[in-house]
Each structure stands twice: as structure tokens, then as C-alpha cells.
Amino acid sequence: MVETKTSGITRRSLLGAFAATAFVAAPTFSKAAGLLRGSGDIRRIRMYSGRTGERIDMIYWIDGKYIKDSIKEINYFMRDWRNDLIKEIDPRTIDIMAASHNLLEVNEPYMMLSGYRSPQTNAMLRRRSRGVAKNSLHMRGQAADLRLASRSVNQMAKAALACQAGGVGKYRGSNFVHMDCGQVRSWNG
């Protein structure tokens, strides 16, 4: 098997994160039955937006393939809500978010604070806060800022870092974690 490496993310590292979460879930009988039937690799993302009131709960990957319609809905959900501009979200970012969520063993959906940001929105936010990067991966559809009421920033960041698949920023003061599919790195905001 040829393993390609892009921006610190390998197919093997992401599959490893999903495999680890499958074994964590295996001890409960209700989940074990699906594994024993050979149901394969299924990836799911659950989020809501406090800005728009929208919710998303969907399977976006089955047995090695992204589901085009699901990815299209995720792209819309993660749009720049300030101007309704949509950008294709890098599927690696979705994978990191889903794998981290699985590691946290919660049913609660993420609260998405920021997904895609248009250059205009990013510039406006930079004028308001020095914590916004000039060349933010949000503008490329490669980042998300997320929160969980039932987990701390440290717990969320630890799960995202365990994926070893991208950048993880801890913003304790604002109570969110930044996850992206860029180079593997971490910081405190």
C-alpha cells in the first residue's frame, strides 16, 4: 500500500484514529453487533450552529467512500453565515472533527462557532482581534472552531491532538478548540 502524506496527515493516521475509536466502542453489546456483522467503516458528524440555529447529524463516509450529497450538506452547513458564501470543506478536516468526537465518547453534537470564512469576514475579524490569522485555514475550508458543553477545552484538544492529523488551538478564554488539517502543531490562543 502506498501511503501519501499531505500537510502532516496520512490516510493511515486517520484510519488509525477511527480504528482506535471502534475498539473503544466495541465492549458494548449494542455496538458490537454491527461490528460483528461486518458493517464496515462508517463516519458520522454531528454539529449545530448557534448563529443560524441549524443542525446536522449525518453519515458522510461508508466503506472507504465519501457520500457526495452528505459532503455537499456539510459544505453548506459550514458556510460563512455572515454572507452565505460556501466553500468546499476539506474532507480531512471533517475526518479530524469526527475522529476527535468519537474519542471523546459523547453523543452531544459539536457547537460550530466558525467553519469557512470568506476573506472579507476574516479581514473584519482580524480588525477586531489579534488572534485571527491573516492567512487563516478557515478561508481555505480547512478549519473549524468547535465547542462541547460536556467537555473542557483541554479534553477536546487532547482528543484532536491524539489524531496527529493537523493543527489544534486551545482557546480557553473563549471556550473553544480550533481543529484544522494543516501541519501537525498546537498552540494556546
Side-chain angles (χ1 to χ4, degrees), residues 29-55:
F29 179 78
S30 62
K31 293 179 182 175
L35 293 171
L36 294 174
R37 283 195 310 267
S39 61
D41 185 13
I42 296 174
R43 298 180 189 172
R44 176 181 180 189
I45 191 76
R46 293 182 299 266
M47 296 185 283
Y48 73 95
S49 169
R51 309 285 189 191
T52 66
E54 297 167 338
R55 292 184 171 276

Side-chain angles (χ1 to χ4, degrees), residues 2 23 32 41-42 56 59 66 86 93 108 110 116 121 146 174:
V2 176
F23 286 113
D41 185 13
I42 296 174
I56 194 166
I59 293 170
Y66 292 103
I86 300 168
T93 300
E108 171 193 357
Y110 282 126
Y116 168 64
T121 294
L146 305 164
S174 301

